Amino acid sequence: AQSVTQPDIHITVSEGASLELRCNYSYGATPYLFWYVQSPGQGLQLLLKYFSGDTLVQGIKGFEAEFKRSQSSFNLRKPSVHWSDAAEYFCAVGPPRGGGNKLTFGTGTQLKVEL
Amino acid sequence: DTEVTQTPKHLVMGMTNKKSLKCEQHMGHRAMYWYKQKAKKPPELMFVYSYEKLSINESVPSRFSPECPNSSLLNLHLHALQPEDSALYLCASSPGTGGYNEQFFGPGTRLTVL
C-alpha cells in the first residue's frame, strides 16, 4: 500500500533562514505529489504540485519542491522564511491515473519560526 | 468564486442532538469530500462524492450520514455522536476524480461533542 513519510515532526528556523521539509513516498508507480499548508484552525491550502516534467516545481509564497525519483522524495524548500510561514505542512500523494482520487497524507511537519 | 465555504464555523452538540454541517462550492467541481481532522494529525478521509454519487465511504460509523443534494452542495448529518467525534471537519472539492486533481479545502467546522 502507498505511504508518505515526513520524518520531521517539528522544525524550528530563524526568520530569514532557509528551509527544507522532507517528504518520502512509497508507491508502485510515480504518484501525483502535493504540498499543503495549514495555519492553526484553518483549512489546507495547496502550495504546489508535481505531475510530470520538470522536477523542480515552483509554488505560491516563494516555495519550491524538487522531485527525485531515485530517492522517492519530494522535499519542500524556501530560501528565506518569514514569520508568517509558521504553520503545519503536509505532503500528500494522489494515486496514478485510474487509481481513484484518494489522497494519502503524511503525518505533517510543524514549522516554528523564531524572530 | 474560487473557494469552498463551510457552515457553521463552530458547533457544540450533545450526544442526543441531531445537527448538520454544510459545504458549498461554485467552481463547477465534480468531486466533493468530507475529512475529519484531530489535533496535530493529518486529515482522515470520510466520504467522497463523485458526480453527486457516493463513491467512497471509509467505513465511517452510521451516526455520520453524508448527502449531496446537488453538484455544489454537500451536507454531513450528525446524530448520536460520541465525545471522541470532536474534531475539525473539513470539506474539499476537486475538478474531477483522478488523483492528479488538486483538492480545494474549506476552513472547516470545529465540532465539540459534550
Side-chain angles (χ1 to χ4, degrees), chain A residues 12-27:
Chain A
T12 300
V13 299
S14 299
E15 190 175 36
S18 63
L19 171 70
E20 182 169 28
L21 302 183
R22 295 183 291 165
C23 173
N24 293 94
Y25 65 89
S26 173
Y27 221 95

Side-chain angles (χ1 to χ4, degrees), chain B residues 54-107:
Chain B
L54 184 64
S55 60
I56 296 178
N57 177 340
E58 290 288 292
S59 303
V60 178
S62 60
R63 57 185 184 269
F64 296 91
S65 175
E67 179 195 19
C68 187
N70 58 58
S71 60
S72 299
L73 191 56
L74 187 66
N75 298 320
L76 186 63
H77 303 297
L78 314 173
H79 174 55
L81 295 193
Q82 304 297 309
E84 59 264 30
D85 297 321
S86 298
L88 182 68
Y89 287 84
L90 295 165
C91 175
S93 69
S94 64
T97 56
Y100 53 88
N101 283 276
E102 170 188 348
Q103 293 187 20
F104 292 73
F105 285 81

Side-chain angles (χ1 to χ4, degrees), chain A residues 11-21 63-64 76-82 85 111-113:
Chain A
I11 282 186
T12 300
V13 299
S14 299
E15 190 175 36
S18 63
L19 171 70
E20 182 169 28
L21 302 183
F63 285 92
E64 66 178 27
L76 182 71
R77 301 196 294 247
K78 187 169 185 178
S80 177
V81 170
H82 188 263
D85 293 324
L111 174 65
K112 180 179 175 182
V113 179

Side-chain angles (χ1 to χ4, degrees), chain A residues 10 32 34 36 38 41-46 49 51 88 90 93-97 100-103 105-108 110, chain B residues 31 33 35 37 40-43 45 48 50 56 58 88 90 94 96-103 105-108 110:
Chain A
H10 301 280
Y32 301 105
F34 305 86
Y36 284 89
Q38 185 178 31
Q42 299 297 313
L44 279 69
Q45 182 183 23
L46 182 73
K49 58 191 176 188
F51 296 160
E88 187 86 22
F90 293 101
V93 300
R97 192 176 293 275
N101 56 350
K102 179 180 175 181
L103 281 181
F105 286 92
T107 50
Q110 179 74 49
Chain B
Y33 311 76
Y35 288 88
Q37 187 180 28
K40 308 294 185 186
K41 298 290 186 183
L45 184 65
V48 181
S50 300
I56 296 178
E58 290 288 292
L88 182 68
L90 295 165
S94 64
T97 56
Y100 53 88
N101 283 276
E102 170 188 348
Q103 293 187 20
F105 285 81
R110 175 71 60 187

